[in-house]
Amino acid sequence: MFYYFIINPSSSSGKHKTLWREIKEQLEKEEINYKIAATKKTGDAKRLAREASLQVSETNPCTIVAIGGDGTVNEVVNGLILSPFLSFGYIPTGSGNDLARGLGLSKEPLEALAFILHPKEKKAVRIGKIVTKDNEEEEGEKRRFIISSGAGFDAAVCHHSIQSKIKNMLNFLHFGKLTYLFTALKLLMKYPYTKAELVLDNQNRKEYQRGILFSVFMNTRYEGGGFLFCPEAEPCDDFLDICLVEKLPKLMILCVLPTAFFGKHVIFKKMVHIERCKKAVLTMEEAVPIHTDGENAGVKKVVEVSLEEQPLNFIIR
Ligand SMILES: Nc1ncnc2c1ncn2[C@@H]1O[C@H](COP(=O)(O)OP(=O)(O)OP(=O)(O)O)[C@@H](O)[C@H]1O
């Protein structure tokens, strides 16, 4: 088996610079057939993943391994040409680590490497796809996600967290995942609601006239550094799980939001709506921020969300 490693040396604010050396030592020791490529900027991981997966075939199987945070995996997933002959491994070195949490991966890099080199369990993990546009007629922009994609407040928090100076400071103090919580508290009071319509599987239409705070489409269970927005999301099934939060007093949100760390927000059934579907179209009155796995996916009015047919052979342990 050939292994192709894509490493983002800047993830978790560059704290893991020595990791690359340790990984190389282990690969040499085990005489693994491999190549390592490091990203220099945003977009590199996507390009490298595409180039590597273009070479994959039945006679030339390959394991592509991402080393970085959830943003790096998002880029890799967006570049991959999905195929049954491609396996995927992930060594998490980010701050949020929602994917590792959601799939139960080892967060200890050398242990994760050992699993990747000698896999005992692989899962056929589904990949989400989202088309964002400003009206139904537009063709729109397509992106993939593996954890979640959100529209509204949760995406606004992601957009702000990416540029946040607090993130570097919290990463340094090993509290990186709190970036999203601090940013959420900062943005909450002034964030506007927007009226929205959600159509599930082309037939089940729901209107939210009071306005929504956000709607998140989950493939795995956690986002935003550990919020369990869809406690029942299952990455290998045929469904997307949705958590849509309708307008409620901002002070009430302060009470509800922390309960989402434990998945208990679902008891607030009048404002928190949990849905499951194969395809969803969310149309909002105002354009709102969108994210895919915490990465900025623009500001748009319409999002169409579904799953790719071909799953990803993900090495779990
Ligand atoms: N060499 C690089 N220098 C700066 N940025 C890079 C580089 N390579 C990739 N990037 C960008 O860094 C961003 C953040 O990466 P990533 O999400 O993997 O790490 P993180 O932010 O530490 O982790 P998490 O998302 O789990 O909090 C991504 O948007 C990616 O495109």
Side-chain angles (χ1 to χ4, degrees), residues 19 22-23 26 30 90-92 104-120 315-317:
L19 181 63
E22 290 171 354
I23 287 176
Q26 192 59 31
E30 296 200 34
Y90 175 41
I91 300 180
L105 308 178
S106 170
K107 291 182 196 150
E108 208 285 290
L110 291 180
E111 186 182 50
L113 176 67
F115 288 145
I116 290 164
L117 299 180
H118 312 285
K120 291 190 203 78
I315 299 168
I316 304 295
R317 64 188 179 93

Short mmCIF file of all heavy atoms in Angstrom, two decimals, residues 19 22-23 26 30 90-92 104-120 315-317:
data_model
loop_
_atom_site.label_atom_id
_atom_site.label_comp_id
_atom_site.label_asym_id
_atom_site.label_seq_id
_atom_site.Cartn_x
_atom_site.Cartn_y
_atom_site.Cartn_z
N LEU A 19 6.27 17.00 15.07
CA LEU A 19 5.51 15.79 14.76
C LEU A 19 5.94 15.17 13.44
O LEU A 19 6.07 13.96 13.31
CB LEU A 19 4.01 16.14 14.74
CG LEU A 19 3.08 14.97 14.45
CD1 LEU A 19 3.19 13.93 15.54
CD2 LEU A 19 1.65 15.46 14.32
N GLU A 22 8.90 13.00 13.82
CA GLU A 22 8.57 11.73 14.49
C GLU A 22 7.85 10.76 13.54
O GLU A 22 8.11 9.56 13.54
CB GLU A 22 7.69 12.00 15.71
CG GLU A 22 8.44 12.69 16.83
CD GLU A 22 7.50 13.15 17.95
OE1 GLU A 22 6.27 13.05 17.83
OE2 GLU A 22 8.03 13.63 18.95
N ILE A 23 6.96 11.32 12.74
CA ILE A 23 6.21 10.48 11.79
C ILE A 23 7.16 9.89 10.76
O ILE A 23 7.13 8.68 10.47
CB ILE A 23 5.07 11.30 11.13
CG1 ILE A 23 3.97 11.53 12.16
CG2 ILE A 23 4.52 10.61 9.90
CD1 ILE A 23 2.85 12.40 11.72
N GLN A 26 9.15 7.00 12.10
CA GLN A 26 8.36 5.78 12.21
C GLN A 26 8.16 5.13 10.83
O GLN A 26 8.25 3.90 10.69
CB GLN A 26 7.00 6.11 12.85
CG GLN A 26 6.19 4.92 13.28
CD GLN A 26 6.92 4.04 14.31
OE1 GLN A 26 7.72 4.53 15.12
NE2 GLN A 26 6.69 2.73 14.23
N GLU A 30 9.53 1.41 9.68
CA GLU A 30 8.64 0.33 9.21
C GLU A 30 8.75 0.08 7.70
O GLU A 30 7.98 -0.69 7.15
CB GLU A 30 7.19 0.65 9.59
CG GLU A 30 6.96 0.69 11.08
CD GLU A 30 5.49 0.52 11.44
OE1 GLU A 30 4.76 -0.21 10.76
OE2 GLU A 30 5.07 1.16 12.42
N TYR A 90 -6.52 9.93 9.20
CA TYR A 90 -6.45 11.31 9.71
C TYR A 90 -5.70 11.33 11.04
O TYR A 90 -6.03 10.59 11.97
CB TYR A 90 -7.88 11.85 9.88
CG TYR A 90 -7.96 13.21 10.51
CD1 TYR A 90 -7.05 14.22 10.17
CD2 TYR A 90 -8.94 13.51 11.45
CE1 TYR A 90 -7.12 15.48 10.76
CE2 TYR A 90 -9.03 14.77 12.04
CZ TYR A 90 -8.11 15.74 11.69
OH TYR A 90 -8.17 16.98 12.27
N ILE A 91 -4.69 12.20 11.09
CA ILE A 91 -3.96 12.43 12.35
C ILE A 91 -4.32 13.84 12.81
O ILE A 91 -3.90 14.83 12.22
CB ILE A 91 -2.44 12.27 12.14
CG1 ILE A 91 -2.14 10.84 11.65
CG2 ILE A 91 -1.67 12.58 13.43
CD1 ILE A 91 -0.68 10.52 11.39
N PRO A 92 -5.20 13.94 13.83
CA PRO A 92 -5.72 15.26 14.21
C PRO A 92 -4.72 16.08 15.03
O PRO A 92 -4.24 15.60 16.05
CB PRO A 92 -6.96 14.94 15.04
CG PRO A 92 -6.84 13.53 15.46
CD PRO A 92 -5.78 12.86 14.63
N GLY A 104 -14.55 9.03 16.88
CA GLY A 104 -13.85 8.25 17.91
C GLY A 104 -12.41 7.91 17.52
O GLY A 104 -11.94 6.80 17.77
N LEU A 105 -11.71 8.85 16.86
CA LEU A 105 -10.32 8.61 16.45
C LEU A 105 -9.37 8.92 17.60
O LEU A 105 -9.70 9.73 18.48
CB LEU A 105 -9.95 9.53 15.27
CG LEU A 105 -10.88 9.53 14.07
CD1 LEU A 105 -10.38 10.53 13.03
CD2 LEU A 105 -10.95 8.13 13.46
N SER A 106 -8.19 8.33 17.55
CA SER A 106 -7.19 8.64 18.58
C SER A 106 -6.69 10.07 18.36
O SER A 106 -6.43 10.49 17.24
CB SER A 106 -6.01 7.68 18.46
OG SER A 106 -4.97 8.13 19.30
N LYS A 107 -6.57 10.82 19.45
CA LYS A 107 -6.04 12.19 19.35
C LYS A 107 -4.55 12.19 19.66
O LYS A 107 -3.93 13.25 19.73
CB LYS A 107 -6.81 13.12 20.27
CG LYS A 107 -8.24 13.33 19.78
CD LYS A 107 -8.98 14.30 20.66
CE LYS A 107 -10.47 14.19 20.39
NZ LYS A 107 -11.29 14.49 21.53
N GLU A 108 -4.00 11.01 19.88
CA GLU A 108 -2.56 10.90 20.15
C GLU A 108 -1.90 10.59 18.81
O GLU A 108 -2.10 9.51 18.23
CB GLU A 108 -2.34 9.78 21.17
CG GLU A 108 -1.12 9.97 22.04
CD GLU A 108 0.15 9.67 21.26
OE1 GLU A 108 0.37 8.50 20.95
OE2 GLU A 108 0.89 10.62 20.93
N PRO A 109 -1.12 11.54 18.24
CA PRO A 109 -0.67 11.41 16.86
C PRO A 109 0.04 10.10 16.50
O PRO A 109 -0.26 9.50 15.47
CB PRO A 109 0.26 12.61 16.66
CG PRO A 109 -0.19 13.60 17.66
CD PRO A 109 -0.72 12.83 18.83
N LEU A 110 0.96 9.64 17.36
CA LEU A 110 1.70 8.42 16.97
C LEU A 110 0.82 7.18 17.08
O LEU A 110 1.00 6.22 16.33
CB LEU A 110 2.98 8.29 17.80
CG LEU A 110 4.04 9.37 17.44
CD1 LEU A 110 5.28 9.20 18.28
CD2 LEU A 110 4.38 9.37 15.96
N GLU A 111 -0.16 7.23 17.99
CA GLU A 111 -1.11 6.11 18.06
C GLU A 111 -2.00 6.11 16.81
O GLU A 111 -2.25 5.06 16.21
CB GLU A 111 -1.97 6.23 19.33
CG GLU A 111 -2.85 5.01 19.51
CD GLU A 111 -3.76 5.10 20.73
OE1 GLU A 111 -4.46 6.13 20.90
OE2 GLU A 111 -3.78 4.14 21.50
N ALA A 112 -2.45 7.33 16.42
CA ALA A 112 -3.27 7.44 15.21
C ALA A 112 -2.48 6.92 14.00
O ALA A 112 -3.03 6.21 13.15
CB ALA A 112 -3.69 8.90 14.99
N LEU A 113 -1.19 7.24 13.93
CA LEU A 113 -0.34 6.76 12.83
C LEU A 113 -0.28 5.22 12.83
O LEU A 113 -0.41 4.59 11.78
CB LEU A 113 1.08 7.34 12.95
CG LEU A 113 2.08 6.84 11.91
CD1 LEU A 113 1.70 7.32 10.51
CD2 LEU A 113 3.50 7.28 12.24
N ALA A 114 -0.11 4.65 14.02
CA ALA A 114 -0.03 3.17 14.11
C ALA A 114 -1.32 2.53 13.58
O ALA A 114 -1.27 1.53 12.85
CB ALA A 114 0.22 2.77 15.56
N PHE A 115 -2.47 3.12 13.91
CA PHE A 115 -3.74 2.58 13.41
C PHE A 115 -3.80 2.68 11.88
O PHE A 115 -4.30 1.78 11.20
CB PHE A 115 -4.94 3.34 14.01
CG PHE A 115 -5.17 3.03 15.47
CD1 PHE A 115 -5.62 4.01 16.33
CD2 PHE A 115 -4.97 1.75 15.97
CE1 PHE A 115 -5.86 3.72 17.68
CE2 PHE A 115 -5.20 1.46 17.31
CZ PHE A 115 -5.64 2.45 18.17
N ILE A 116 -3.31 3.81 11.36
CA ILE A 116 -3.38 4.03 9.91
C ILE A 116 -2.49 3.01 9.17
O ILE A 116 -2.86 2.49 8.12
CB ILE A 116 -2.99 5.49 9.58
CG1 ILE A 116 -4.11 6.43 10.07
CG2 ILE A 116 -2.74 5.69 8.09
CD1 ILE A 116 -3.73 7.89 10.16
N LEU A 117 -1.33 2.74 9.74
CA LEU A 117 -0.41 1.80 9.09
C LEU A 117 -0.85 0.35 9.25
O LEU A 117 -0.54 -0.50 8.41
CB LEU A 117 1.01 1.98 9.66
CG LEU A 117 1.63 3.38 9.46
CD1 LEU A 117 3.02 3.43 10.07
CD2 LEU A 117 1.69 3.75 7.98
N HIS A 118 -1.61 0.06 10.32
CA HIS A 118 -2.07 -1.32 10.58
C HIS A 118 -3.54 -1.29 10.96
O HIS A 118 -3.91 -1.53 12.11
CB HIS A 118 -1.25 -1.93 11.74
CG HIS A 118 0.22 -1.73 11.56
ND1 HIS A 118 0.96 -2.45 10.66
CD2 HIS A 118 1.07 -0.84 12.12
CE1 HIS A 118 2.21 -2.03 10.69
NE2 HIS A 118 2.31 -1.05 11.56
N PRO A 119 -4.42 -0.96 9.98
CA PRO A 119 -5.84 -0.75 10.33
C PRO A 119 -6.57 -2.02 10.78
O PRO A 119 -6.36 -3.08 10.20
CB PRO A 119 -6.45 -0.23 9.02
CG PRO A 119 -5.40 -0.30 7.98
CD PRO A 119 -4.12 -0.73 8.58
N LYS A 120 -7.38 -1.83 11.83
CA LYS A 120 -8.22 -2.94 12.32
C LYS A 120 -9.68 -2.65 11.97
O LYS A 120 -10.49 -3.53 11.88
CB LYS A 120 -8.11 -3.06 13.85
CG LYS A 120 -6.75 -3.54 14.33
CD LYS A 120 -6.83 -3.86 15.83
CE LYS A 120 -5.48 -3.82 16.49
NZ LYS A 120 -5.00 -2.47 16.78
N ILE A 315 -10.12 5.11 7.85
CA ILE A 315 -9.49 4.24 8.85
C ILE A 315 -9.81 4.80 10.25
O ILE A 315 -9.46 5.95 10.55
CB ILE A 315 -7.97 4.16 8.64
CG1 ILE A 315 -7.67 3.56 7.26
CG2 ILE A 315 -7.30 3.32 9.75
CD1 ILE A 315 -6.23 3.69 6.82
N ILE A 316 -10.49 4.00 11.05
CA ILE A 316 -10.91 4.46 12.39
C ILE A 316 -9.87 4.06 13.43
O ILE A 316 -9.44 4.85 14.26
CB ILE A 316 -12.29 3.85 12.77
CG1 ILE A 316 -13.34 4.20 11.70
CG2 ILE A 316 -12.73 4.30 14.16
CD1 ILE A 316 -13.68 5.66 11.56
N ARG A 317 -9.44 2.78 13.38
CA ARG A 317 -8.42 2.33 14.34
C ARG A 317 -7.78 1.02 13.88
O ARG A 317 -8.28 0.38 12.97
CB ARG A 317 -9.01 2.17 15.74
CG ARG A 317 -10.07 1.12 15.84
CD ARG A 317 -10.76 1.13 17.18
NE ARG A 317 -11.76 0.12 17.15
CZ ARG A 317 -11.59 -1.14 17.58
NH1 ARG A 317 -10.46 -1.51 18.10
NH2 ARG A 317 -12.56 -2.03 17.50
#
